[in-house]
Amino acid sequence: MTVQGRIAPLAEDSTRRLELLHAIERKLLWLSAWMIHHANHVRPNRDGLKVGGHQASSASVISIMTALYFEILRPQDRLAVKPHAGPVFHAINYLFGRQARETLGTLRQFGGIQPYPSRVKDGPEVDFSTGSVGLGVALTSFGSLVQDYVRLHGLGREEVPAGRHVAIVGDAELDEGNIYEALLEGWKHDVRNVWWVIDYNRQSLDSVVQDRLFGRIEGLFRDMGWNVVILKYGRRLEAAFAREGGEALRRWIDDCPNSLYSALTFQGGAAWRAALLAELGREPGARAIIDPLSDEELGALMTNLGGQDTATLLEAFRAQDAAGDQPTCFIAYTIKGMGLPFAGHKDNHAGLMTKEQMATFKAEMRIRDGHEWDRFEGLDIPEAELRAFIEGVPFATPIAPEGRRLQAAAVPVPGASFPQPKVAPGRKLSTQAAFGEVLAELGRGQGEAAAIAKRIVTTSPDVTVSTNLGPWVNRRGIFDRHLKNDVFRDAKLASAQRWGMSPEGQHIELGIAEQNLFLLLSALGLAHDLYGARLLPVGTVYDPFVNRGLDALIYACYQDARFMLVSTPSGLTLAPEGGQHQSVNTPLIGMAQDRLASFEPAFADELAILMRWGFEHMQKPEGSAVWLRLSTRGLEQPQRRLDPAAVVAGAHWMVPPAPGTRIALAYQGAVAPEAIAAFEALREDEPGAGLLAITSPDRLHAGWLAARRKARAGFGGPSWVEELLAPLAPDAALVTVLDGHPAAHAWLGAVRGQRVMPLGVDRFGQGGDIPDLYREYGLDTDAILDACAQAMLG
């Protein structure tokens, strides 16, 4: 098992142990290849589309995954498996008894196991989803940081020790820029206990990768403080190199271009012999190595690479474990498609064995018809011995009674609404400023807020102060694994910010890369499942730059990570900053993104309700992440009593319409003053008109779609938006306005067949002040009134 948390040494019968591991490799190669073949050639195909799969990519990583899962990993370790090794991952869980036999035949089938490991759809054995190339790799680094945060704050489960975060990386994933952004951020935070094992098969989707790429990879990792272990050759090749003439053979392989090496691997032993003798035929020592070998033996020797030599892998993993917790990159040389008929071929990425090739492969594997899914079919090891071995490996032990998906109690959220900032009559307040004040008040940790304040952790990509997180940070401090004093404070230099860092801090400061923000929010938002600690993450970012991190945001939601995203400032309303800092499409992103409830309140009282609801919603099994789109524009605050349920549902009547009225005006967010002014003028002609405050087109739209689905099934009542619009005349007009794309409101006309005049922004912004920009883009009072007149005229 383990010795003081370290990997135990090999047992005295290590030779037999290696034989058992080789048997498992053989079984994983068969199961992963058959799983894909079954999905493509055995299961009925009703639509004629290629089902696909990655037999070659799975084969290249089998030795790495065997060494890790069946010898090295401990129950508390967390993993990200390269996407195209999904079938191997499923086969491993089948051998562990964590995957039912019946499910193996459902790969890429509706309701079946996923092509790429998915936390939500494949269940608790998946630690990190890895379908989005590169992001799962980077997430392991942030997961390790969050594990440290949980441990240093004393929030985790005492019986669950800290684990290592391991990513099994496809070499083509290293083309993704987010990898290097994460590396730099990890260096800043002195991340520990991370292993990235690169399946360096030197082939991508389209071609063979550049020669000596590993040198660049090695240098980048070393520059970031990582240890780098290169596993190029297996034990048979190393033994050959040690003989007379071996150095010449090593030089030949080292100098061999990747494309030639791949081609020779595909061609086989005879091609290897011809190529070697052409270069080394006059080297007596080299001939002494080559000549005695049959073509098959020579091919096996020349393809004995470190990443597919189990003994070499185990030796390297154990040595690094004994060396400490320094983050480590293993560059493990492999052959794509190893053991399959198209090994090494540059087009094998999406290649599938033909039925004839599978029949030959099946015979080589000694698999009888009707026994394709048997756990121990075709192996020389006695079933009882192999079964006992698998049951006894460290990773077979559950991390906790509930399994790999830990449980953490919800944090109680006080009241029906958080305390609102006190606003003197005539004082203006923006939603961004209100957010900062509400969070700072929670940061006092007084009374009922003590429990929730302890679990909130904030983060921001170098915009902490400009998104109003400063007061919270001053109260709760910045997190760092090491104590670092605030130099300005120690020198008694005036500053509004107290930037002392310590393990007790509750704000994680990031560099400006938005991908890292969403990856960290993803890791923080999974802490309850991964580390047994309920955290309430809050991340702030400028609204237009949500787009820069959108891939990672979607990935976080796909994993069902729970966090509160606060994007501010937003829209044209950030007037002097110009078009690149003015967002247009973000309301539509909020509507379209699954597992993300999106809101845009106009006033502080709405925001206080939504923040309180958001912290509670994030913790519910049926909940999700929450997005608040805020503004820096100060507005006079109304004195009123709100129905929290209506605010959360997406809209409430600021002025209810008279029954049967012909027109209503609806606004969202910072354009409230213009809408209210236009409404006052409108009421002079239409006294029964209504004024609707939209806090979330996302929630309104989702509720409407859900109600329509229920209605088609013959049950359920009207949605909230249907109830809101019911008092209006059937042919009434709606004039809507927001500082964002008008399509966010245009759908409202479909609810009851009423006419909609949606106002908003559908092109890039520019520098200016609010009056000029609102006039230019049709958001000012005159534009709203013109739309009302047009709507009334039909």
Side-chain angles (χ1 to χ4, degrees):
M1 294 292 288
T2 61
V3 179
Q4 295 181 349
R6 295 287 180 188
I7 300 166
L10 278 172
E12 291 182 3
D13 58 338
S14 57
T15 300
R16 185 56 173 174
R17 202 169 183 87
L18 281 173
E19 291 174 355
L20 293 166
L21 291 172
H22 289 320
I24 291 173
E25 288 179 279
R26 182 182 177 90
K27 177 51 61 176
L28 293 178
L29 179 62
W30 165 255
L31 285 174
S32 59
W34 177 253
M35 204 181 305
I36 297 167
H37 183 83
H38 180 273
N40 284 273
H41 296 299
V42 179
R43 202 168 64 209
N45 187 325
R46 298 184 300 173
D47 54 20
L49 294 177
K50 175 185 175 181
V51 177
H54 300 90
Q55 288 175 328
S57 292
S58 292
S60 74
V61 79
I62 279 172
S63 296
I64 293 171
M65 293 181 70
T66 300
L68 287 171
Y69 276 91
F70 294 92
E71 190 69 46
I72 299 299
L73 294 175
R74 302 156 297 178
Q76 65 269 27
D77 294 335
R78 298 294 182 178
L79 288 99
V81 176
K82 78 167 189 173
H84 296 149
V88 185
F89 172 78
H90 297 308
I92 286 172
N93 282 314
Y94 174 54
L95 294 186
F96 277 130
R98 298 167 180 170
Q99 184 84 266
R101 174 174 175 167
E102 294 73 25
T103 64
L104 296 184
T106 67
L107 178 71
R108 298 188 172 218
Q109 180 176 297
F110 180 72
I113 53 180
Q114 296 299 297
Y116 315 119
S118 167
R119 281 181 54 83
V120 173
K121 294 182 171 61
D122 282 324
E125 300 309 315
V126 180
D127 297 324
F128 303 113
S129 299
T130 51
S132 191
V133 174
L135 293 178
V137 180
L139 187 57
T140 59
S141 180
F142 290 101
S144 184
L145 176 63
V146 172
Q147 179 180 249
D148 282 345
Y149 181 95
V150 167
R151 179 176 55 84
L152 292 171
H153 282 79
L155 300 175
R157 302 253 295 262
E158 292 184 2
E159 74 276 18
V160 178
R164 179 174 282 113
H165 289 68
V166 179
I168 301 166
V169 187
D171 52 7
E173 292 189 87
L174 295 172
D175 289 340
E176 295 288 347
N178 70 79
I179 293 280
Y180 304 103
E181 292 179 350
L183 272 178
L184 181 58
E185 199 64 56
W187 172 80
K188 294 176 188 176
H189 289 278
D190 190 27
V191 166
R192 307 274 96 187
N193 286 315
V194 179
W195 282 5
W196 289 1
V197 186
I198 300 174
D199 173 22
Y200 190 57
N201 59 43
R202 303 169 307 289
Q203 289 181 245
S204 60
L205 276 72
D206 292 329
S207 63
V208 179
V209 303
Q210 297 259 340
D211 294 323
R212 300 190 65 78
L213 176 63
F214 80 93
R216 294 297 182 187
I217 296 171
E218 179 185 6
L220 283 166
F221 277 87
R222 292 198 191 282
D223 287 346
M224 295 298 172
W226 286 53
N227 185 32
V228 178
V229 178
I230 299 176
L231 305 173
K232 188 168 186 179
Y233 299 117
R235 292 194 171 187
R236 279 177 290 170
L237 269 176
E238 290 288 0
F241 297 154
R243 296 172 56 183
E244 181 182 355
E247 278 305 311
L249 180 61
R250 182 196 293 270
R251 282 195 302 273
W252 187 91
I253 299 176
D254 284 343
D255 294 338
C256 183
N258 287 338
S259 55
L260 176 58
Y261 186 91
S262 296
L264 291 173
T265 297
F266 176 71
Q267 291 173 292
W272 279 114
R273 190 180 304 279
L276 288 168
L277 292 181
E279 296 285 338
L280 303 177
R282 296 185 179 182
E283 295 273 353
R287 291 294 298 261
I289 297 171
I290 297 167
D291 290 348
L293 300 176
S294 67
D295 285 350
E296 183 180 356
E297 290 169 335
L298 182 59
L301 175 67
M302 295 302 293
T303 55
N304 176 227
L305 300 184
Q308 284 162 334
D309 187 292
T310 307
T312 298
L313 287 164
L314 291 176
E315 182 180 16
F317 291 151
R318 292 181 180 283
Q320 187 53 39
D321 181 74
D325 62 358
Q326 182 182 9
T328 300
C329 170
F330 298 89
I331 302 176
Y333 279 68
T334 61
I335 292 169
K336 195 165 187 173
M338 186 66 171
L340 302 180
F342 40 56
H345 196 288
K346 72 181 183 68
D347 299 333
N348 67 11
H349 179 81
L352 297 171
M353 280 189 276
T354 64
K355 291 182 179 181
E356 293 74 21
Q357 287 174 324
M358 177 53 75
T360 301
F361 182 61
K362 184 176 180 180
E364 292 172 352
M365 287 286 174
R366 302 194 299 277
I367 305 296
R368 295 170 293 167
D369 289 343
H371 294 265
E372 292 85 357
W373 302 115
D374 289 4
R375 276 190 174 88
F376 305 106
E377 174 74 5
L379 302 179
D380 295 328
I381 306 291
E383 178 179 332
E385 183 183 5
L386 195 53
R387 187 186 299 275
F389 173 77
I390 292 172
E391 292 174 352
V393 304
F395 199 72
T397 304
I399 188 174
E402 63 267 37
R404 293 195 62 75
R405 193 73 53 91
L406 302 182
Q407 296 177 3
V411 180
V413 181
S417 172
F418 285 156
Q420 299 174 35
K422 295 179 180 178
V423 183
R427 178 195 167 198
K428 293 183 177 181
L429 184 69
S430 70
T431 47
Q432 177 179 303
F435 159 74
E437 291 190 31
V438 170
L439 201 58
E441 184 62 29
L442 291 175
R444 294 180 182 275
Q446 302 294 317
E448 291 183 328
I452 190 174
K454 185 178 180 181
R455 300 304 179 109
I456 294 173
V457 53
T458 60
T459 184
S460 188
D462 201 35
V463 290
T464 297
V465 175
S466 52
T467 54
N468 280 53
L469 278 177
W472 160 266
V473 175
N474 284 343
R475 288 211 167 98
R476 309 303 290 198
I478 295 178
F479 172 74
D480 196 283
R481 293 177 62 247
H482 312 285
L483 184 64
K484 297 177 183 177
N485 292 337
D486 184 341
V487 175
F488 271 67
R489 187 178 183 185
D490 291 347
K492 296 182 170 54
L493 299 174
S495 173
Q497 311 305 323
R498 296 191 290 273
W499 291 94
M501 303 180 183
S502 74
E504 292 78 33
Q506 290 181 239
H507 174 77
I508 301 176
E509 181 69 6
L510 298 174
I512 204 166
E514 283 79 7
Q515 290 268 6
N516 286 340
L517 169 72
F518 293 117
L519 286 171
L520 177 55
L521 286 175
S522 184
L524 289 165
L526 296 174
H528 54 288
D529 281 348
L530 297 176
Y531 314 116
R534 180 73 64 174
L535 299 179
L536 300 174
V538 178
T540 64
V541 64
Y542 291 173
D543 191 66
F545 302 139
V546 168
N547 288 285
R548 293 209 306 216
L550 188 55
D551 188 22
L553 172 59
I554 294 170
Y555 172 64
C557 294
Y558 180 72
Q559 299 202 95
D560 199 23
R562 305 301 181 84
F563 53 87
M564 181 177 289
L565 170 64
V566 178
S567 63
T568 179
S570 62
L572 288 170
T573 306
L574 184 62
E577 286 283 342
Q580 285 191 310
H581 279 202
Q582 294 167 347
S583 51
V584 174
N585 68 330
T586 46
L588 300 180
I589 295 172
M591 292 181 67
Q593 183 54 52
D594 188 23
R595 299 180 189 271
L596 182 65
S598 176
F599 299 88
E600 185 174 1
F603 298 105
D605 54 359
E606 296 166 331
L607 175 65
I609 290 170
L610 294 173
M611 287 183 67
R612 189 261 169 215
W613 175 86
F615 282 129
E616 189 171 65
H617 180 73
M618 286 158 52
Q619 303 182 72
K620 292 182 176 180
E622 70 278 12
S624 70
V626 177
W627 181 0
L628 304 176
R629 186 178 192 252
L630 306 183
S631 175
T632 50
R633 187 186 188 192
L635 306 181
E636 291 189 17
Q637 301 297 303
Q639 302 299 312
R640 58 186 177 177
R641 296 178 66 88
L642 290 174
D643 176 8
V647 174
V648 170
H652 59 93
W653 285 110
M654 194 168 185
V655 178
T661 193
R662 300 188 302 156
I663 190 168
L665 201 160
Y667 71 87
Q668 177 179 321
V671 295
E674 286 70 26
I676 293 170
F679 176 73
E680 293 301 329
L682 174 65
R683 281 211 295 186
E684 294 178 7
D685 296 322
E686 293 290 331
L691 179 62
L692 184 66
I694 296 177
T695 55
S696 175
D698 172 40
R699 297 282 291 182
L700 288 178
H701 188 255
W704 177 57
L705 290 182
R708 292 302 88 211
R709 284 192 289 267
K710 289 180 180 179
R712 288 194 296 273
F715 66 95
S719 64
W720 178 238
V721 69
E722 289 172 300
E723 292 185 25
L724 285 170
L725 300 182
L728 304 180
D731 61 346
L734 288 170
V735 176
T736 67
V737 58
L738 80 158
D739 187 357
H741 200 285
H745 292 166
W747 62 274
L748 287 168
V751 174
R752 299 183 71 245
Q754 291 154 334
R755 288 171 290 119
V756 174
M757 296 289 293
L759 303 180
V761 184
D762 60 357
R763 60 193 192 279
F764 288 120
Q766 57 188 296
D769 60 13
I770 288 178
D772 281 344
L773 291 175
Y774 278 17
R775 184 182 308 110
E776 173 66 21
Y777 290 85
L779 304 180
D780 64 348
T781 299
D782 288 343
I784 297 171
L785 286 172
D786 287 345
C788 290
Q790 185 179 357
M792 293 294 291
L793 291 173

